[in-house]
Amino acid sequence: MPTAPTGDILFDHAACALLLTAPDGVILRANGTACTWLGYTEDELVGKLRMHDLLPVGARLFYHTHCQPILQVQGSVAEIQVDLRNRRQERLPMLINISRRQDADGTVDHWALFKASDRRAYERELLAARKAAETALEARRSAEAELQKLNEQLSAADRRKDEFLATLSHELRNPLAPMRSALDVLKLKFGHGTDTRLLQAFDRQLRHLTRLVDDLMEVSRITQGRMQLRRAPVELSALVHGAAHDLAATMEAARHTLRLSIAAAPVIVDGDATRLAQVVINLLTNAAKYTPDGGTIELHLSCADGVAEIRVRDNGIGLPASALATVFNMFSQLEPALERSKGGLGIGLALVRGIVSLHGGSVHADSAGAGLGSTFTIRLPLAAGSVSAPASQERSTDAAPAQVRVLVVDDNEDAAETLAMTLELHGCEVRTAPTAARALDILPGFAPAVALLDIGLPDMNGYELARRVRQLPAGAAVTLIATTGWGQQKDRERAFAAGFDRHLTKPIDFDLLRSYLP
């Protein structure tokens, strides 16, 4: 049986309707698809019907007035949408392409018909999909805009919180300063009596309150990325012993047993001694708070593989497993801690993590569970090539400066008077001034060796006052000490740029102040 030519097979089985017509529209040939769509057999179409017989009146008119002239001029018509009528006289939307060609039999029009109903459905689906995509995109943009707005609000709230903490800690220092000075006066006058329990309790609580204020300031610096370390070789054995000594009164008040296991010196790290001492004190304070009275607290310092390890272990309330990952977060508090009167602010461990991280170290919490105690472990890299820290120079606490003239400038009357009383009890001749103008009036006749200048004065800030003092004939010889509640590195730098020799943060450590007096 002979095989049909490939062209005939493609024509007969094409996915669209194909017809050949004479120029007058008589159908010369139709493929199977055309016969199926129109409902005729090929014999019923070929030589029997013309294309305009299949067109409704409107489409027939359009064919004669538009399609035929275009075919005659350019030989093709593309994508004309018209309706055809099938055998049952039903309208079929069709998209038609017509091409006029010359062959051996003369002029022949080639028709290709595509069902427009399927195309319309596809276009509707495409439009619906596009609309859905545009709606989803708009919803996503709205969600992103709302998320950005919320993020900006959270950032602003977080920034305001940090600013509030910094301002709060500064404002708290102002009342702490006269309290510290008043306590120093009371200790000098009555600290050698037979019963000093009230003074000791006052001193412990004031130191605790001062540490809380310091923690607020430090946390604010860390969260704002403004903490700067004053690095130097630090001998950890002495530092850890000193921290344990500082907390001795707290441990004794709670009837805790503090056991020490400290590696022999030197254990040297590159760090900020003040910050690292703050870390150890915070961990010991934390252990003392959350251990019932009469507990046991262990403080270990060891070295291995180039790392110094500080470990604080207690037999207190412990940590549930769910809290181990969040205990170092800001303001993190456990319910058992909140029930204790010494619960604190919930910032001590956040501060520990921040300071340790700035030193390139790590901190980790472990606990077997609630009621089974806790262990906090700090690891710090040992300093490469360091053998020992410089020997510390202990400040004398007995020798009193004789008749040193000191001018105290502070608009807080209580702070000025209590500090003046403390200095007078140590043999100083003191004058006070509540304003910068009054200080400038006193200076020429009093000729102080040292001037303690508050920064936040009502008529002129302390920086400008320091510059005015340096311009006086005898101003260069005066030791200028800034006393302020602001203690960030930029505040120190600004003070030194203004002409100050020293910078002290309130409440003033009087032993440190005495070391600055001539």
Side-chain angles (χ1 to χ4, degrees):
M1 182 176 181
T3 304
T6 303
D8 290 343
I9 294 175
L10 292 175
F11 181 88
D12 288 335
H13 298 283
C16 62
L18 299 177
L19 299 102
L20 301 180
T21 69
D24 60 359
V26 174
I27 298 174
L28 303 176
R29 186 177 178 184
N31 72 348
T33 303
C35 293
T36 300
W37 287 357
L38 295 173
Y40 294 97
T41 65
E42 186 175 8
D43 290 340
E44 292 174 327
L45 291 173
V46 175
K48 306 258 186 340
L49 296 175
R50 291 185 299 175
M51 282 303 300
H52 71 265
D53 296 330
L54 302 175
L55 296 171
V57 175
R60 188 181 305 173
L61 179 62
F62 179 80
Y63 172 70
H64 284 296
T65 58
H66 290 78
C67 294
Q68 287 284 20
I70 294 174
L71 281 171
Q72 292 174 4
V73 173
Q74 66 182 33
S76 65
V77 176
E79 295 188 355
I80 300 299
Q81 185 168 327
V82 296
D83 288 344
L84 294 182
R85 291 184 301 183
N86 63 12
R87 189 185 189 97
R88 294 189 296 273
Q89 299 302 303
E90 297 169 338
R91 288 175 177 264
L92 303 177
M94 292 287 182
L95 188 67
I96 298 174
N97 289 342
I98 308 172
S99 176
R100 178 162 288 180
R101 299 180 184 178
Q102 299 293 327
D103 59 20
D105 297 329
T107 302
V108 178
D109 290 341
H110 295 247
W111 293 62
L113 290 74
F114 304 88
K115 277 189 175 182
S117 57
D118 293 341
R119 180 185 177 188
R120 288 174 180 174
Y122 172 75
E123 288 176 346
R124 285 194 299 269
E125 292 177 3
L126 187 61
L127 288 172
R130 179 179 177 181
K131 185 176 181 180
E134 289 175 347
T135 302
L137 180 60
E138 184 62 29
R140 178 180 176 183
R141 287 174 176 170
S142 298
E144 289 177 347
E146 185 65 22
L147 184 61
Q148 182 177 0
K149 180 180 178 182
L150 291 174
N151 187 54
E152 290 173 354
Q153 291 175 349
L154 287 173
S155 297
D158 189 59
R159 184 171 60 254
R160 287 194 297 268
K161 178 262 296 178
D162 291 336
E163 292 170 353
F164 169 76
L165 290 179
T167 303
L168 175 64
S169 59
H170 168 261
E171 293 301 322
L172 288 176
R173 290 183 189 277
N174 287 327
L176 284 176
M179 293 170 65
R180 179 76 263 171
S181 298
L183 178 60
D184 289 337
V185 171
L186 292 174
K187 288 169 66 177
L188 287 170
K189 287 188 173 183
F190 309 108
H192 303 290
T194 57
D195 190 349
T196 59
R197 288 176 296 175
L198 287 177
L199 288 177
Q200 291 173 356
F202 190 7
D203 184 64
R204 284 195 304 270
Q205 297 306 316
L206 186 57
R207 290 181 184 278
H208 177 60
L209 181 57
T210 301
R211 280 197 297 269
L212 290 178
V213 173
D214 288 340
D215 286 353
L216 281 173
M217 178 66 79
E218 302 295 14
V219 164
S220 176
R221 290 172 180 162
I222 289 176
T223 56
Q224 296 181 60
R226 296 201 302 235
M227 174 174 278
Q228 296 180 349
L229 300 180
R230 305 180 74 176
R231 289 183 176 273
V234 178
E235 206 289 293
L236 284 184
S237 298
L239 184 145
V240 171
H241 271 295
H245 181 268
D246 288 346
L247 267 292
T250 300
M251 298 294 177
E252 182 180 355
R255 295 183 287 106
H256 291 323
T257 299
L258 178 59
R259 296 176 179 171
L260 304 181
S261 176
I262 299 176
V267 178
I268 310 264
V269 297
D270 179 34
D272 187 318
T274 300
R275 309 296 189 199
L276 292 176
Q278 195 172 8
V279 164
V280 180
I281 288 174
N282 275 1
L283 288 182
L284 288 174
T285 302
N286 190 72
K289 286 179 185 177
Y290 302 137
T291 299
D293 289 356
T296 299
I297 298 171
E298 300 175 5
L299 174 59
H300 299 263
L301 170 64
S302 60
C303 300
D305 301 324
V307 174
E309 182 178 280
I310 301 172
R311 189 168 67 256
V312 176
R313 177 182 298 161
D314 63 64
N315 61 349
I317 64 174
L319 293 168
S322 60
L324 292 176
T326 60
V327 69
F328 294 102
N329 292 347
M330 182 76 76
F331 306 122
S332 176
Q333 289 274 41
L334 302 176
E335 288 187 6
L338 292 172
E339 294 170 359
R340 295 175 61 83
S341 62
K342 297 178 288 186
L345 297 176
I347 62 175
L349 293 180
L351 179 61
V352 166
R353 180 178 63 178
I355 293 176
V356 171
S357 177
L358 288 174
H359 282 81
S362 64
V363 59
H364 182 70
D366 288 298
S367 176
L372 299 176
S374 306
T375 301
F376 290 86
T377 305
I378 294 171
R379 292 182 176 86
L380 296 168
L382 291 171
S386 298
V387 293
S388 63
S392 60
Q393 297 180 354
E394 296 185 359
R395 300 189 298 268
S396 172
T397 58
D398 296 323
Q403 290 301 310
V404 175
R405 290 187 175 184
V406 180
L407 175 63
V408 177
V409 185
D410 198 321
D411 61 328
N412 186 322
E413 183 178 353
D414 290 338
E417 290 301 324
T418 52
L419 181 57
M421 290 176 62
T422 308
L423 289 166
E424 288 170 350
L425 288 172
H426 282 81
C428 297
E429 182 181 351
V430 186
R431 297 282 297 274
T432 64
T435 64
R438 179 60 180 152
L440 292 172
D441 289 340
I442 293 175
L443 273 164
F446 184 52
V450 178
L452 302 173
L453 310 183
D454 184 27
I455 298 301
L457 296 171
D459 56 342
M460 181 190 307
N461 66 47
Y463 305 122
E464 180 60 27
L465 176 58
R467 284 188 282 268
R468 297 280 186 91
V469 172
R470 292 304 188 202
Q471 294 171 0
L472 296 175
V478 181
T479 299
L480 296 182
I481 301 176
T483 58
T484 174
W486 299 106
Q488 300 182 20
Q489 183 60 28
K490 66 176 184 180
D491 301 314
R492 298 175 184 276
E493 293 172 355
R494 188 177 179 186
F496 296 142
F500 282 100
D501 299 293
R502 304 287 184 177
H503 184 282
L504 290 177
T505 304
K506 296 178 180 179
I508 295 172
D509 181 342
F510 191 75
D511 289 337
L512 182 59
L513 171 59
R514 290 181 63 195
S515 69
Y516 295 158
L517 300 179

